[in-house]
Amino acid sequence: SRMSLSMDNPVFRAFAFYAALSILKMFCCTFLTIFKRMTGGIFANQEDCDFAQVKKPVIDEGVERVRRNHLNDIENVIPFVLIGGFYVALNPSYSAALWHFRLFFFSRLVHFVSYQLHLQPFRALAFGVGLLATLSMLWSVISATL
Amino acid sequence: SRMSLSMDNPVFRAFAFYAALSILKMFCCTFLTIFKRMTGGIFANQEDCDFAQVKKPVIDEGVERVRRNHLNDIENVIPFVLIGGFYVALNPSYSAALWHFRLFFFSRLVHFVSYQLHLQPFRALAFGVGLLATLSMLWSVISATL
Amino acid sequence: SRMSLSMDNPVFRAFAFYAALSILKMFCCTFLTIFKRMTGGIFANQEDCDFAQVKKPVIDEGVERVRRNHLNDIENVIPFVLIGGFYVALNPSYSAALWHFRLFFFSRLVHFVSYQLHLQPFRALAFGVGLLATLSMLWSVISATL
């Protein structure tokens, strides 16, 4: 158990990999926001408008959708990574851990695509699967440290 | 010190427990948002409205209050968990650490209840106590690594 | 590699220091929001207005600017700290790691000052430098755990 939070531990390596992929997915919201703001001339600050030579800050539903998606990622991906660290420290079985990480990452990928393509109930289902993966790890941590 | 970030360390176990409880508290905002959106037919996206057979996205003060509460949790609970990890790695005394974790978690519980029941100055006080617990750990980390 | 995530490891100590400073920088948005709300009588909840004896919740561009800055910190500082932990576990060279941490922290400091003083393109450049530092560590983690 001394080696739990170390790259020598295959569970930690798998966690690092899927956590990094999930954070990269979160940054896709950053990239998409920048792309939509630049191409549409849609900015939140007057100095950005001045620099891009557009009139004034506007609210755009396309940009707001990405912002809501990003906030949803913050509310879900960050707790997954934080709880995941404690879960790995419990030395779970490799296959149980791997399935939690995989399910989480792929559910957030489906969530992102469904959100940007306006697809329901796929987005809600993907959200639910990701949340359940995190709650299952959270339950493991609480019950083991009670 | 080798065993700091491991379940063999009682300080780490206590930290894992209170960090997990604090994150669960944060997810209570998720559950409450879903409940208020579903029961009130209040959604942020047109495809959600279509699926629930309500007309169009609306802004509702009850939902917005939970959203503000959730964002406040993100701004406070996540820094607590991140700083807490470094603080545990400093090998603080068990009782000092436990009091930081307990104070933080209970202050955020009081903050949540006061926020949803519109209670001031209880919410402000609870916010302040939680912030002080985090800043105290932050100060320990900075002064030890300077 | 057993000692990676421990204060015995100089890379971890440097990471703890710059991560704590970056989180303290993030809390500067909290302090500035409180200061602007208090001095201007600008609140988001009716019970806060009642307590401060002002009429009703208002939207203020000065407060909103700090809120946008805070959210940008959440979107960037938190991923830096999370990814940084995995990066340290890879046992990178001390100087490479230190430059990533320093570049990130100073870029976020410049970002904060430029945001509050309405300075472009300095804010955009500082944002880009911080993002690149995080993406470089993210790439190291993904390529090492693939």
Side-chain angles (χ1 to χ4, degrees):
Chain A
S1 123
R2 200 178 348 172
M3 60 175 272
S4 298
L5 299 180
S6 143
M7 287 291 174
D8 297 339
N9 176 6
V11 178
F12 184 79
R13 286 184 81 87
F15 174 55
F17 178 68
Y18 285 102
L21 281 189
S22 300
I23 291 171
L24 184 59
K25 198 269 99 204
M26 192 157 78
F27 277 127
C28 288
C29 289
T30 303
F31 305 143
L32 192 53
T33 300
I34 293 173
F35 176 78
K36 291 204 171 189
R37 286 198 185 284
M38 298 281 221
T39 55
I42 297 145
F43 301 100
N45 302 285
Q46 186 58 52
E47 69 270 25
D48 308 356
C49 294
D50 295 345
F51 197 77
Q53 299 183 300
V54 296
K55 247 184 179 164
K56 61 191 180 87
V58 282
I59 302 288
D60 174 84
E61 174 51 23
V63 171
E64 293 308 306
R65 177 175 287 269
V66 189
R67 302 295 298 149
R68 288 195 296 272
N69 195 153
H70 202 161
L71 198 54
N72 193 281
D73 272 358
I74 289 169
E75 292 167 4
N76 289 280
V77 172
I78 294 168
F80 163 79
V81 181
L82 295 176
I83 283 294
F86 297 118
Y87 174 72
V88 171
L90 296 175
N91 286 316
S93 83
Y94 183 73
S95 69
L98 196 62
W99 276 108
H100 279 87
F101 307 154
R102 277 180 180 161
L103 256 181
F104 182 82
F105 170 65
F106 287 106
S107 74
R108 294 309 297 182
L109 206 61
V110 172
H111 180 268
F112 175 63
V113 173
S114 322
Y115 212 145
Q116 295 312 314
L117 299 182
H118 307 217
L119 301 178
Q120 279 288 34
F122 306 98
R123 189 187 99 219
L125 288 171
F127 170 83
V129 169
L131 186 58
L132 283 179
T134 303
L135 290 177
S136 161
M137 299 195 305
L138 193 121
W139 175 244
S140 298
V141 172
I142 290 178
S143 60
T145 56
L146 205 63
Chain B
S1 125
R2 199 180 347 174
M3 60 176 273
S4 297
L5 299 179
S6 143
M7 287 290 174
D8 298 338
N9 176 7
V11 178
F12 184 80
R13 286 185 80 87
F15 174 55
F17 178 69
Y18 285 102
L21 282 189
S22 301
I23 290 170
L24 184 58
K25 198 270 97 203
M26 192 158 77
F27 277 127
C28 288
C29 289
T30 304
F31 305 142
L32 192 54
T33 300
I34 294 172
F35 176 78
K36 292 204 169 189
R37 286 199 186 285
M38 297 281 221
T39 56
I42 297 145
F43 301 101
N45 301 286
Q46 187 57 52
E47 68 271 25
D48 308 356
C49 294
D50 295 345
F51 197 77
Q53 299 184 302
V54 296
K55 248 184 178 162
K56 62 190 180 89
V58 281
I59 302 287
D60 173 85
E61 173 51 22
V63 171
E64 293 308 307
R65 177 175 288 270
V66 189
R67 303 293 300 149
R68 288 194 296 272
N69 195 154
H70 202 161
L71 198 53
N72 193 281
D73 272 359
I74 288 169
E75 291 167 4
N76 289 280
V77 172
I78 294 168
F80 164 79
V81 181
L82 294 176
I83 283 294
F86 297 119
Y87 174 72
V88 171
L90 296 175
N91 287 316
S93 83
Y94 182 73
S95 68
L98 196 62
W99 277 108
H100 278 86
F101 307 154
R102 278 179 178 160
L103 257 179
F104 181 83
F105 171 65
F106 287 107
S107 74
R108 294 309 298 182
L109 206 60
V110 172
H111 179 268
F112 175 63
V113 173
S114 322
Y115 212 145
Q116 296 311 313
L117 299 182
H118 306 217
L119 302 177
Q120 280 289 35
F122 307 99
R123 190 187 99 220
L125 287 171
F127 170 82
V129 170
L131 186 57
L132 283 179
T134 303
L135 289 177
S136 161
M137 298 195 306
L138 193 120
W139 174 244
S140 298
V141 173
I142 289 179
S143 59
T145 55
L146 205 62
Chain C
S1 122
R2 199 180 346 175
M3 59 174 274
S4 298
L5 298 179
S6 143
M7 287 292 174
D8 297 338
N9 176 5
V11 178
F12 184 80
R13 287 184 80 87
F15 174 54
F17 178 68
Y18 285 103
L21 282 189
S22 300
I23 290 171
L24 184 59
K25 198 271 98 202
M26 192 157 77
F27 276 128
C28 288
C29 289
T30 303
F31 305 143
L32 191 55
T33 300
I34 293 173
F35 176 78
K36 291 204 170 190
R37 286 199 185 283
M38 297 281 222
T39 55
I42 296 145
F43 301 101
N45 302 285
Q46 187 57 52
E47 69 271 25
D48 308 355
C49 294
D50 295 345
F51 197 77
Q53 299 184 299
V54 296
K55 249 183 177 164
K56 63 190 178 87
V58 281
I59 301 287
D60 174 85
E61 173 53 21
V63 171
E64 293 309 306
R65 177 176 287 270
V66 189
R67 303 294 298 150
R68 288 195 296 271
N69 194 156
H70 202 160
L71 197 54
N72 193 281
D73 272 358
I74 288 169
E75 292 167 4
N76 289 279
V77 173
I78 295 169
F80 163 79
V81 181
L82 295 175
I83 284 294
F86 297 118
Y87 173 73
V88 171
L90 295 175
N91 287 316
S93 82
Y94 183 73
S95 68
L98 196 62
W99 276 108
H100 279 86
F101 306 155
R102 279 179 177 161
L103 255 181
F104 182 83
F105 171 65
F106 286 106
S107 74
R108 295 309 298 181
L109 207 61
V110 172
H111 180 268
F112 175 62
V113 173
S114 323
Y115 212 145
Q116 295 311 314
L117 299 182
H118 307 216
L119 302 177
Q120 279 288 37
F122 307 98
R123 191 187 98 221
L125 287 172
F127 170 83
V129 169
L131 186 57
L132 284 179
T134 303
L135 291 176
S136 161
M137 298 195 306
L138 193 121
W139 174 244
S140 297
V141 173
I142 290 179
S143 59
T145 56
L146 205 64

